[in-house]
Amino acid sequence: MTALLVVVQLAALVVMPVVVVGVINRVKARWAGRRGAPILQLAWDVRRLLAKRSVYSDVSTPIIRIAPLVVLITALGSALIAPLTGAGALVGFDLDFVWFAYVWGLGRVALMLGALDTGSSFEGMGAAREATFAVFVEPALFLVAGALCLDGGTLRFAEALAWHGVDGGAIVVRVACAAAMVVVLQAELARMPVDDPTTHLELTMVHEVMILDHGGRELAALHAGAAIKLYVAIAVIATLINPWAGPWTGPWAGAATPLVAAAIHLGLCVAIAAAIGLFEALPARVRLRVVPTYLLSATVAAAVALLVVLWRTA
Amino acid sequence: MTADHALLASVPILVIGAVLIAIVRGRRAQVALALGTQGAATALVLAAVAPVLAGGAPLDVVWPWPAPIGAIAFRVDALGAFFLAWSLPLTWLGTVYAVGYLQPSLAAGRNGGSHLALLNFTCVAFVLVYSVQNALVFLLGWELAAVSAWLLVIWDYKNQKIRFAGFNYLVSTHVGLFVLVAAFMLLHSRTGSMDFAAFGAYLAGAPPDRATIFVLLGVAFALKAAFFPFHTWLPRAHSAAPAHVSALMSGVIHKAGLFAFLRFTLLGGRPDEWMGWCVLGFGLVSAFFGVLYTTVQRDLKRLLGYSSTENVGIAAAAFGAGMLGWTWGDARLVVLGFAGGLLHVLNHALFKCLSFYAAGSIYRATHTIDLERLGGLARRLPWTAALFLVGGLAMCGLPPFNGFASELVIYAGLIGGGAGPAEADVALIAAAAMLAFVGAVSALATVRAFGLAFLGAPRDASVHVRGEAPATMRGPMIAHAVAVVALGLVPGLALGALLPVVGLFAPELGDARPLAVPGFLDAMAWPSRALAVALALAVVVAWRPRAGSATSPTWGCGYTVGSPRMQYTGTSFSDALARFFGAALPAQRRERLPKGPFPAGDGHVASHHVDAVERKMFEVLGQGEQIIQDTSSRISEQPRFAFAAGAIAIVVIVAVAVGGGP
């Protein structure tokens, strides 16, 4: 990978999280007939929060201050492995997807501990839901990674996600994997229909209720971490549905220079963000009881992908 | 002194030490004797096994013994050396912890001599079980460990519940012993010898009763290591025993079951394919049910006990993968499966002892380990909180701790692909997804336990918190925590010592086995180290609040008159999951709900999760006659039933007649 591409990836890591959150919110607002916040609103929010002083719950321990930083660190760590601009990742090593999944897990545990540190029953409720939902998406993530690794003959996440040829089987595998990853994204990032980020009823929140008692720079770190994770998840999905991802494997390899391929990929990320915004404006959140069943669809989709891979190799 | 003398000398030192401890009066003398003799024995054993672990030749000793046993052969190969190398030091640390943990009872005049002597005998049992090559002496060591563990569990014998838990354990472990004796008798009848070497020569010839022996041994060892569904004794015993005994039983003593399984796997030579699948499936089932039960426990030590069932399941799944690799002649899978499983056994010993010690520290301070009554302990017991968190994070396999390193090796084996037929690759990936599920559930259980006990506000005003654990308890905990972090950051440390062990498996593959620390582990160690540095920085940066920050009560979302009792409960925390898996986690609910628009009288709800296997077992035992009667009456009512039963009986008889021949 050229140095220029590294710079592009780092720049994308800084800019794109803000953009995807902005695009989702803007599309949702437009759909609802409102003008919507500026695309870069998240950046201003973070800057404003960093300047604010924090108020801590009087039963809290240093965990409430450490946990948001851990969320941010783990989000950045997962971003290093993900194909941020489609063409490989900043860091790649064998079995890095295990690291990817477990680093997300660590971030989730930190988020939940930070929530429980306040002793609030509402935040406990949110943490319980977050932990329960994670249980149902984790197998899907491994099935997706396993299927793609088996299909691509590689053990590196970014390489496995890239296309290794375009044929009917490959399209089915990648569409199924992308469908699974969309559900994983909805659960991990607490988006509709698993969770409604704009709800105002604590009883029904998942992610938002866990950060009720955080403020100041802790809240800034949590927002930043969530936005980075969102971008990482979107970038993974974009790689799955983009045959140009990875200039060395695409059907028109050589036709698109790495930079053009990266530009296509980033455009696709914005498009996916817009699609999420559109989708979120339409249905209501499903009932909490139904969520585990809904999340199991990710495992089913990933299992389908795995079986198609088996059929392709057998 | 040569290495074989050193090994044998450790046994009399420990036995004489135990006798002296039981004789002398005076707490200090007893403690000094226990720590001294165990320390000396540990040093001797380590000196004896170190060359073997470094790749040297196995240690062979023959001890002449009167009839009927005859000469006893001891042989410490890399497998035994590996288990000895950490079992004795961890028991020594446990003894140090015991001195602090039992201090209140000892100060009140209780004579702790027998307890310390039993810990010595546990060490003797390790030396015997991990080195002896004779089935009778093996059984002796096996029994010594079981009976010592039983007596250690009932330290607080005046409590009827604890006596019941102790007897429950004693009965269960002896049921396992019967099965083990049956297997040994079968082997003896075939070979006319009690030597493992003769057993091995017989088994390696793939005799027709190899399957029977495999199943008998498997059941006996599964009972020892508390696999589902043979785990029923474990939660009771672990919750009743003193913390160090729970820790040693779960982390160290019952690893003998896994050791014995590996020993007989080695003796049996190249396994059949079904054996590998069987062990893999059995391990996954154990991990699945074990981890589900961790999510609903109120008693912290019961929770940790079920987590042992989960972790031995993970290790067994890895061993199963390694056995499959052996069958298929895939050197990579052999190495990754067995190395991952063995590393996980060691890692589990480290983090599980740490967690049990932390639970014991809670018990010392509060006299309860009921999670629903605790809360807010992090500010009262900061050391315990931090150490429990390290153990807990390692328990859910999160980086940068040691649990992650071993799970990673296991994942590498399962996901690598290219091992057997394509269907097998897919099945192994599904197994990896199952392990991921187990990891996520384990994270839920850990967050729940830590959050309930250490975070928030105290839930029960009647629980008084005394001070932090004394140095004798904190020292062993810190030592374990350091090991947990060190093996997470430098997994090559333990893996280097493990590779000679792995070299014993699938010898026919020879040099094809990549017996070097796998490259991905090095590659992965760097991100883990970077993460550890980042986390350490985060802790340093965020430890103290920034100047100008304020504190205020937690926002109650409008409910301003809440009491600490209104914090989220553990039952609610796992409710959604428990309902989803209700078939596996039966809940007993007793409730009287208020009725009508103006309810009169109090209502109440109590829900309680029991062990499904144990309940079923007692049900069958208690109503066995009734059940048989019901079934037999149903047979006459429903001819289909009778037909199915008859068909099954015929199949079984034919199978026995065909397969059970000499």
Side-chain angles (χ1 to χ4, degrees), chain A residues 53-54 56-58 65 102 118, chain B residues 397 407 411 543 548 550 552 554:
Chain A
R53 70 192 180 102
S54 304
Y56 301 113
S57 160
D58 50 14
R65 289 185 291 277
Y102 274 68
T118 60
Chain B
E407 292 205 8
Y411 281 126
W543 189 264
S552 98
T554 300

Side-chain angles (χ1 to χ4, degrees), chain B residues 300-591:
Chain B
L300 179 55
K301 281 165 77 186
R302 262 180 93 93
L303 186 161
L304 294 173
Y306 278 114
S307 158
S308 299
T309 294
E310 171 213 340
N311 281 291
V312 291
I314 293 174
F319 294 150
M323 289 167 77
L324 286 171
W326 193 348
T327 308
W328 296 328
D330 178 44
R332 202 186 119 273
L333 189 54
V334 170
V335 171
L336 291 176
F338 286 110
L342 284 164
L343 188 60
H344 197 69
V345 169
L346 170 62
N347 286 340
H348 174 243
L350 291 169
F351 64 67
K352 187 49 62 68
C353 285
L354 174 59
S355 306
F356 267 119
Y357 291 154
S361 169
I362 295 177
Y363 185 75
R364 259 290 296 267
T366 63
H367 275 284
T368 179
I369 39 170
D370 182 352
L371 291 171
E372 306 281 23
R373 293 180 61 204
L374 297 170
L377 287 179
R379 279 170 303 143
R380 306 294 305 275
L381 309 172
W383 279 96
T384 304
L387 292 165
F388 185 87
L389 189 58
V390 169
L393 292 178
M395 197 153 75
C396 16
L398 290 172
F401 300 102
N402 66 352
F404 178 67
S406 45
E407 292 205 8
L408 183 72
V409 181
I410 298 173
Y411 281 126
L414 294 175
I415 299 186
E423 292 82 6
D425 283 344
V426 168
L428 291 184
I429 289 174
M434 183 64 142
L435 286 187
F437 169 88
V438 168
V441 180
S442 173
L444 183 149
T446 300
V447 166
R448 172 178 172 274
F450 184 82
L452 287 175
F454 290 102
L455 302 179
R459 286 182 170 69
D460 189 339
S462 69
V463 173
H464 295 287
V465 184
R466 260 159 299 161
E468 183 61 277
T472 37
M473 287 164 71
R474 230 185 293 163
M477 284 200 269
I478 292 171
H480 279 85
V482 168
V484 163
V485 174
L487 287 191
L489 299 184
V490 200
L493 275 182
L495 216 56
L498 256 172
L499 291 170
V501 188
V502 178
L504 298 173
F505 293 91
E508 64 268 25
L509 297 178
D511 292 338
R513 292 164 302 170
L515 288 179
V517 176
F520 68 83
L521 207 63
D522 277 341
M524 185 65 97
W526 283 108
S528 278
R529 286 168 209 165
L531 179 68
V533 170
L535 292 180
L537 277 178
V539 170
V540 170
V541 168
W543 189 264
R544 304 216 159 274
R546 219 163 24 157
S549 59
T551 59
S552 98
T554 300
W555 189 45
C557 305
Y559 297 91
T560 50
V561 289
S563 82
R565 290 287 297 162
M566 285 177 63
Q567 290 176 90
Y568 214 50
T569 63
T571 311
S572 318
F573 199 93
S574 50
D575 185 59
L577 194 75
R579 275 174 200 267
F580 194 87
F581 291 103
L585 290 172
Q588 288 182 332
R589 278 175 80 83
R590 254 175 281 134
E591 57 185 20

